Amino acid sequence: MWSLPNLLTLSRIVAVPLLVALLWDPHWHLGYGIAFALYCLMGITDYFDGYLARAQGAVSRLGVFLDPIADKIMVAAVVLMLVGTRDISGVDVIAALVILLREIAVSGLREFLAPLRISLPVSRLAKWKTTLQLVSLGALILGGALPEAPWIAVVGRVALWGAAALTLVTGWDYLRVGLKHMD
């Protein structure tokens, strides 16, 4: 239970309040810079917890349960903070909302299908969606740290829309599978 991969996953969850605190003031560029470093560290631990669990044969039920939750908590917290600080604003809020709604819907679908012993494995396209989503949020955080380089935030917004588009596609794919098992 207290394996290194699980501890890495738990560390991501525990780090979310610090990440939120660092993003609280959009005028505190150093806070955004530290938040970007923390966000990158959290992304690295996300990669390594899965890699180590598989490499060490230490895949656990706790890890399988917590890993997607840790990802969703981190993404939701960052999206909410960036909307709150207006780093995501205007029509870009729609892209952020699409991402959040899909995460909730797919989680609910997985919960519904679990008693039926039907799993929804993560598709390759969903992994690309996650990667683009994480890159977009990272770029938006870094853009807040470096306001003198506005192109970074532009990259973040473009990537956010790319992630939202992939979110719709992968969400529909999962929903189609789930609908086959509903009355």
Side-chain angles (χ1 to χ4, degrees):
M1 182 165 151
W2 298 113
S3 64
L4 179 58
N6 287 348
L7 291 173
L8 289 173
T9 300
L10 286 169
S11 75
R12 289 202 325 273
I13 294 170
V14 170
V16 167
L18 177 58
L19 184 62
V20 165
L22 291 166
L23 294 172
W24 200 265
D25 181 359
H27 304 291
W28 187 35
H29 304 302
L30 177 60
Y32 267 64
I34 297 167
F36 177 72
L38 178 59
Y39 181 81
C40 290
L41 181 62
M42 292 168 80
I44 290 166
T45 63
D46 184 25
Y47 171 78
F48 278 110
D49 66 11
Y51 174 80
L52 290 172
R54 288 184 296 276
Q56 297 174 349
V59 175
S60 68
R61 287 185 191 174
L62 180 63
V64 169
F65 169 72
L66 282 181
D67 186 63
I69 290 173
D71 295 343
K72 287 170 183 35
I73 289 170
M74 181 180 78
V75 167
V78 170
V79 166
L80 288 172
M81 287 308 300
L82 293 178
V83 168
T85 58
R86 313 250 331 128
D87 290 295
I88 296 175
S89 62
V91 72
D92 296 333
V93 173
I94 294 170
L97 186 60
V98 164
I99 289 169
L100 289 179
L101 291 176
R102 184 257 189 210
E103 295 301 333
I104 294 166
V106 169
S107 294
L109 184 60
R110 283 194 167 108
E111 187 174 329
F112 172 79
L113 294 174
L116 304 174
R117 298 197 184 277
I118 298 164
S119 68
L120 288 176
V122 177
S123 68
R124 184 178 306 270
L125 191 58
K127 290 184 182 204
W128 278 104
K129 181 269 314 174
T130 300
T131 300
L132 194 55
Q133 181 176 286
L134 294 176
V135 166
S136 72
L137 296 177
L140 289 167
I141 293 169
L142 183 60
L146 302 170
E148 66 277 4
W151 64 270
I152 297 171
V154 171
V155 168
R157 285 192 298 279
V158 169
L160 186 70
W161 280 100
L166 289 179
T167 291
L168 290 173
V169 172
T170 59
W172 175 247
D173 287 345
Y174 288 136
L175 184 59
R176 274 193 338 224
V177 170
L179 286 174
K180 294 178 186 175
H181 303 284
M182 294 182 190
D183 295 328

